[in-house]
Amino acid sequence: MVSYKELGLVNTRELFKKAFAGKYAIPAFNFNNMEQMQAIIQACVETKSPVILQVSSGARKYANQTLLRYMAQGACEYAKELGFNVPVVLHLDHGDSFELCQSCIEYGFSSVMIDGSALPYEKNVELAAKVVDYAHKYDVTVEGELGVLAGIEDEVSHETHSYTRPEEVEDFVKKTGVDSLAISIGTSHGAYKFKPEQCTRNAEGRLVPPPLRFDILKEVEKRIPGFPIVLHGSSSVPQHYVDIINANGGKLEAAVGIPEEQLRQAAESAVCKINIDSDGRLAMTAAVREVLNKKPAEFDPRKYLGPARDELKKLYIHKIVNVLGSANKA
Ligand code: G3H
Ligand code: 13P
Ligand code: ZN
């Protein structure tokens, strides 16, 4: 058992309190490799933003849990070396069992998500309460979820979504003791968040998705005042990355995300954590494809992963400054 406190990490409690009061959201960026980690820390140090480093169960299998833990510890040291000690949370994204949450806590995670959103309500409550009971003994914070997001990722896959039912949130929070709650208001995972037939087209012919359900968010806020809300599936799928990918041998058709103005609006409300993974994947892929396409003789991974890291850093700075509003809040 290693405590996250020994690793220099923090849980989400104080960060969410400040984010709520200051009307901004903490960035939750997924990572599974060194370049992503470097980009995240460089961006957060430069903007003086707190950060949540998220690890999915797929990422944990891919990168190895021991390596990830040392990377997170290294991230805290790296931030100091770069000149600013940003608060870093190491968070399990979409934990699907008590055992996985327990194992992550034992490995030094400071926050876990227990995602029982696809279970019947009572089972979701039971599972989340069990995780909270264990996690709080170690001062680890817990995120629960009500409502199902659509979309497909490695290990997070749902064909259809169901919006969060505001009438359930108060009971859920009371019975489980979770520290934050992920809700479903129309976001979804991955780069294909909406079917073209759900969208309209703008003057340039780009797909414009239906707006998020701010009415549900408002109703949730009314029922659990002051409680930190989390938005998953919050990538915006920047069309310039899609274009670069497609111009360099890729094939992403009808990829569409959540408009950034809507996320900005959400960040000013009770939403204290915004999850972004797919946009980072697009930024990296665009940079790698461009280098390899323009320089076919290149075979040093640093020559394409370096530019990918720099593009990622640019993206993260943009999100922090222009979307989440977490710059200078560390
Ligand atoms: O919400 C899911 C995250 O984007 C993680 O995706 O399971 O492919 O690592 P992953
Ligand atoms: P995106 O696929 O929209 O980046 O969402 C990521 C996420 O919710 C991670 O939990
Ligand atoms: Zn998610």
Side-chain angles (χ1 to χ4, degrees), residues 30 56-59 93-94 153-156 189 232 277-278 281:
N30 289 69
S56 68
S57 61
D93 192 22
H94 294 283
E153 305 276 318
D154 277 2
E155 316 240 334
V156 185
H189 291 111
H232 282 248
D277 187 4
S278 297
R281 297 178 183 198

Side-chain angles (χ1 to χ4, degrees), residues 63-84:
N64 178 278
Q65 56 194 15
T66 308
L67 279 178
L68 285 173
R69 181 242 284 189
Y70 283 107
M71 279 172 80
Q73 185 173 8
C76 301
E77 294 303 315
Y78 182 45
K80 279 189 231 158
E81 201 181 300
L82 291 177
F84 196 78

Side-chain angles (χ1 to χ4, degrees), residues 3 16 78 92 114 123 125 155 165 191 194 223 271:
S3 164
F16 286 168
Y78 182 45
L92 168 66
I114 179 67
K123 292 275 173 224
V125 168
E155 316 240 334
R165 291 155 47 85
F194 303 95
R223 289 172 189 255
V271 171

